[in-house]
Amino acid sequence: MTDTTGTFDEALERLHAKGPEFEGWLTNHAPMTVEALVRHGHAPRVHRWLDAYRHRLEDMPGRTGVRIDGTADASWRTALGDPARLGDWIDHFTRTLAERPWRDVLAEWWPRLLPGITGGSTHPVIRTGHAVRALLDGDRTGPRLAELGHALGYWAARHQPLAAPVTPSGTAGIGAALAGVPGVPDPSRGIRARFAQLPETPGWPAAANAVRPPAGPGEVPGMLAELVREAVLRYGERAHGSPVMLIHAATAPNAVLRALPALPRELWVPGFRAAWEASASVTAAYPAPGPSEPVASAPATAAEAFARAAEHGDEHAIKFTDTALDVAAADPEAAPGALAATARAVELIAPLGA
């Protein structure tokens, strides 16, 4: 990402006085959205977009006064998954990233946080993926390092493993396995209640575990890219199951894929397993009754797709389009379907401010 305007860092400084949530537990998507806007050449929109989004920004939560020690099991394990410690967690990672190389901090905490990838509706790992991508560009500014600290702190505070963790151990391909995921029995409640139903969902454990695991780290980038592609293309057909929430079936595994270059190879296979768990569980939580009709007018190019999403303004549409364009760039055969999926998001999700 080339940002000669300084807009991205300005936006992060503006945002870091605010918390990662609002109205109790809803996610502040602004840091992720502005990273995508700047990356795709829409920096001039950023501050106007933030002005329109500011009603969702709440002050940073206070600290409890009990400092988290990342080297003492009794300290950090007790605080893990406690949203009341959100301010403490962000303080911990801000201090740690000021003292140690960011890749070392990420590598230490990645295996600790992965089991709770579905916590916070997968938003913490998605925010982490955007933060890591910005740092991998090579410009390790103070605001970008601080953004990684806010993302990891959010993940630690909202860390919540599934009641029955997924263990890929079958022989099915990713597309077939994703298509075979059953829907939860009661899809009328929020995502946490839906996730809680998974252990009792008929066919869930077998379907979730049916996917073939990677044979080793070398297979992980390709398998993650395949998972993201299948989730994006499936969204184009099934988004009506939940136009907003089904986006995370694609953006969560893409966050893991974006983080891989910053992680030791021995962490790549666990990353795939967690990414699959996130994508499969979101798919199960928001079943769609059947394929939808094709979109009326799909964008012809990546630039047109992102311009449509940026003009639309909804944070989910922008972030999904950002992920779909990764698919289009990596796989020309999947590009038409990926571009059409972005049009589906813009079509079904209400614009910002509506």
Side-chain angles (χ1 to χ4, degrees):
M1 176 175 57
T2 301
D3 177 24
T4 58
T5 68
T7 300
F8 182 46
D9 285 356
E10 290 172 2
L12 291 179
E13 289 177 331
R14 180 176 174 182
L15 287 167
H16 287 160
K18 304 298 181 182
E21 295 181 327
F22 61 97
E23 295 181 12
W25 67 279
L26 297 176
T27 297
N28 169 9
H29 290 73
M32 302 171 270
T33 304
V34 299
E35 193 270 344
L37 285 168
V38 172
R39 179 169 296 277
H40 290 277
H42 289 261
R45 291 182 181 270
V46 164
H47 285 295
R48 294 196 307 273
W49 186 89
L50 285 175
D51 288 342
Y53 194 79
R54 66 181 181 272
H55 67 284
R56 298 180 183 174
L57 302 178
E58 296 182 358
D59 290 341
M60 178 64 63
R63 304 172 195 167
T64 66
V66 180
R67 185 165 162 155
I68 294 171
D69 183 348
T71 64
D73 272 11
S75 174
W76 70 263
R77 289 189 187 279
T78 300
L80 193 64
D82 184 354
R85 304 294 302 278
L86 183 52
D88 299 332
W89 275 114
I90 291 175
D91 174 67
H92 166 73
F93 282 109
T94 300
R95 286 186 287 103
T96 303
L97 286 164
E99 298 166 355
R100 297 172 54 198
W102 70 268
R103 289 173 184 253
D104 292 352
V105 176
L106 182 68
E108 178 182 37
W109 282 91
W110 188 256
R112 296 175 176 180
L113 296 175
L114 272 184
I117 194 171
T118 58
S121 308
T122 75
H123 291 110
V125 71
I126 297 168
R127 184 167 177 177
T128 299
H130 281 271
V132 169
R133 180 170 67 165
L135 287 169
L136 286 172
D137 287 337
D139 197 357
R140 295 183 294 275
T141 64
R144 298 182 195 196
L145 286 169
E147 173 56 19
L148 179 60
H150 281 245
L152 292 174
Y154 181 28
W155 194 353
R158 280 296 179 188
H159 183 276
Q160 182 62 60
L162 292 178
V166 171
T167 305
S169 52
T171 59
I174 289 171
L178 201 62
V181 168
V184 296
D186 179 9
S188 65
R189 303 170 66 191
I191 189 168
R192 289 176 290 186
R194 296 179 189 222
F195 283 168
Q197 297 175 51
L198 289 175
E200 287 74 44
T201 297
W204 162 254
N209 295 333
V211 71
R212 180 182 73 83
E219 284 196 325
V220 171
M223 291 183 71
L224 276 174
E226 183 181 356
L227 173 56
V228 176
R229 183 188 70 228
E230 293 298 326
V232 165
L233 297 179
R234 182 176 174 83
Y235 181 90
E237 298 178 349
R238 306 277 178 158
H240 54 288
S242 178
V244 168
M245 294 309 298
L246 280 172
I247 278 172
H248 305 87
T251 53
N254 203 32
V256 176
L257 179 58
R258 288 171 175 173
L260 284 190
L263 293 166
R265 284 173 61 88
E266 60 265 25
L267 298 180
W268 287 13
V269 170
F272 172 81
R273 291 173 180 156
W276 166 254
E277 177 178 273
S279 189
S281 59
V282 171
T283 299
Y286 294 93
S292 61
E293 294 296 321
V295 293
S297 176
T301 66
E304 180 187 350
F306 199 86
R308 285 192 193 184
E311 181 65 29
H312 180 272
D314 176 79
E315 62 271 27
H316 303 93
I318 290 170
K319 294 193 300 99
F320 178 75
T321 299
D322 174 50
T323 281
L325 295 189
D326 284 354
V327 171
D331 186 347
E333 290 186 4
L339 294 178
T342 70
R344 178 69 73 208
V346 169
E347 175 186 86
L348 295 180
I349 298 173
L352 181 65

